[in-house]
Amino acid sequence: LGDVYKRQRQARTTDTLISKLNAWLVRHPDEAAAWRTLASAQQDAGINPIDAWRRAHTLSPRDEEAASALISALEAKGQHEDAVKEVSRMLDNGSRDPTLAMELATHLAAAGERELAFELAGDVEARFGRSTRALMQLLDFYNLNDDADHALEVARAWVRLAPRKPDPRIALGEQLHQMRLRDDALAQWAMLPKLIRPAHKGWARHAQVLSEHKMNTEAVASISKAMR
């Protein structure tokens, strides 16, 4: 009975808070923090918080928590197309972080909305094709969703974007190896001693990558060069 009473008391407190916030927001409709509080309270009370989260984010477009909460609320209601539209609107309004869009694309694919997910991923690729963060997320997305060919295109684009950095070469080699293009993968990893300085660190990294892929004979040869 104690737990029941506690829950009822908490529910009454939340209802009171929601009622007071609604009344206050009639007089102060431009207070983003109040809309956020209302949305959180509505969520706790099992009331649809989408409109409140939308108002909070509209008033404070840089509020990443409100943006994420709005998209999550739309997803929870099965409003997938509306979630995509909201993310696209955020990107149109200057958001430079592809993370929320790629998280949504991943969730959509897992929910069986593959076509919508790939449309969103394609939009991210078009907007952020020169962003290392976006390319890494796109690479994971396409591999997770069994599109190795597209993942390979993304890995190659990452190398073109940063040809003197080791991480893109390693990722491209990983992708090629996953696609059973062993010689092509080895050719990419062979660049590591030239890209990582001093040279002994490059050879050590090369050996590590080879060892991770069970190429122990080749790894021993590389570690020997690192120890010279």
Side-chain angles (χ1 to χ4, degrees):
L1 288 175
D3 288 342
V4 172
Y5 173 74
K6 184 178 180 181
R7 288 196 296 271
Q8 289 177 337
R9 186 175 61 184
Q10 289 173 338
R12 286 196 297 272
T13 301
T14 301
D15 290 344
T16 301
L17 174 61
I18 290 172
S19 178
K20 288 184 176 181
L21 281 168
N22 277 320
W24 194 84
L25 282 164
V26 170
R27 302 189 304 275
H28 307 278
D30 296 329
E31 290 291 339
W35 285 107
R36 278 189 53 171
T37 304
L38 175 61
S40 295
Q42 288 176 331
Q43 201 160 293
D44 290 342
I47 299 170
N48 188 339
I50 290 173
D51 288 341
W53 279 125
R54 184 177 282 118
R55 290 291 294 271
H57 184 260
T58 298
L59 290 167
S60 184
R62 295 181 181 276
D63 186 341
E64 294 180 4
E65 183 178 340
S68 179
L70 171 57
I71 300 307
S72 295
L74 288 164
E75 284 188 80
K77 293 294 183 181
Q79 298 179 27
H80 297 144
E81 292 187 3
D82 288 340
V84 171
K85 288 177 183 177
E86 284 291 346
V87 164
S88 296
R89 182 179 61 80
M90 292 173 193
L91 296 178
D92 288 340
N93 289 338
S95 173
R96 301 310 303 161
D97 187 352
T99 302
L100 183 58
M102 288 309 304
E103 287 177 351
L104 176 58
T106 300
H107 296 165
L108 290 171
E113 296 279 4
R114 185 178 176 86
E115 183 176 350
L116 194 57
F118 272 70
E119 286 179 8
L120 181 55
D123 186 25
V124 169
E125 192 171 350
R127 293 175 187 264
F128 297 97
R130 296 189 63 78
S131 162
T132 293
R133 178 186 294 182
L135 292 173
M136 291 174 65
Q137 293 173 348
L138 285 161
L139 184 61
D140 288 342
F141 172 82
Y142 287 124
N143 274 320
L144 184 64
N145 290 287
D146 301 319
D147 192 345
D149 290 337
H150 207 148
L152 180 58
E153 291 178 17
V154 171
R156 292 193 190 281
W158 189 11
V159 169
R160 288 194 299 270
L161 182 66
R164 300 298 303 171
K165 292 186 177 180
D167 286 347
R169 295 282 175 179
I170 293 171
L172 177 54
E174 294 275 3
Q175 188 62 40
L176 290 163
H177 187 269
Q178 181 178 312
M179 298 172 72
R180 303 191 181 189
L181 299 170
R182 184 178 186 275
D183 290 344
D184 291 337
L186 288 171
Q188 293 299 323
W189 294 331
M191 296 289 293
L192 294 178
K194 300 176 182 177
L195 299 177
I196 301 174
R197 294 297 178 184
H200 71 274
K201 289 188 177 181
W203 284 112
R205 186 72 178 97
H206 186 240
Q208 180 185 352
V209 170
L210 294 174
S211 177
E212 289 170 352
H213 292 83
K214 312 300 182 186
M215 301 180 188
N216 295 328
T217 301
E218 295 89 340
V220 168
S222 291
I223 205 66
S224 297
K225 292 178 181 178
M227 296 174 64
R228 287 177 184 172

